[in-house]
Amino acid sequence: MENIMSINSAKPIPGTNAYWAQRREAFAFINRLEWAIGVRDRAPMYIAGPSYDPEENFDDVVENIGPWQRVYSATICVRGWRQSG
């Protein structure tokens, strides 16, 4: 006899412990994404490089892409959770 894999994709029944656990997890992902968006919106677009001299050398100014990457990573996590949950 063949081993057949099945995937249980039914949503939990509202009011059960599994339902509330899933809701807490979902809101944790959403809160993490909202926090990352807030940080990104307040972050400077450019930052000084390691050898920046404000009087003479303006070539060492770099884009601050860290906050944008964190928002992208959080978005991927939320999308992945929605597809699996």
Side-chain angles (χ1 to χ4, degrees):
M1 186 170 173
E2 291 182 34
N3 290 333
I4 299 175
M5 256 181 101
S6 64
I7 298 173
N8 185 4
S9 62
K11 293 184 179 178
I13 299 170
T16 62
N17 288 339
Y19 173 80
W20 291 113
Q22 187 180 42
R23 300 257 318 170
R24 279 191 295 275
E25 185 179 7
F27 279 105
F29 278 121
I30 292 168
N31 286 336
R32 193 174 309 142
L33 177 59
E34 288 176 344
W35 176 81
I37 289 170
V39 169
R40 180 203 62 195
D41 291 345
R42 291 186 304 274
M45 287 293 288
Y46 301 96
I47 55 176
S51 62
Y52 178 76
D53 180 9
E55 295 178 5
E56 298 175 11
N57 189 359
F58 293 101
D59 294 335
D60 288 341
V61 176
V62 295
E63 285 185 293
N64 186 16
I65 60 172
W68 292 88
Q69 290 175 335
R70 283 188 287 279
V71 169
Y72 177 74
S73 297
T75 303
I76 295 301
C77 287
V78 169
R79 287 183 180 162
W81 182 84
R82 285 182 60 205
Q83 291 173 358
S84 68

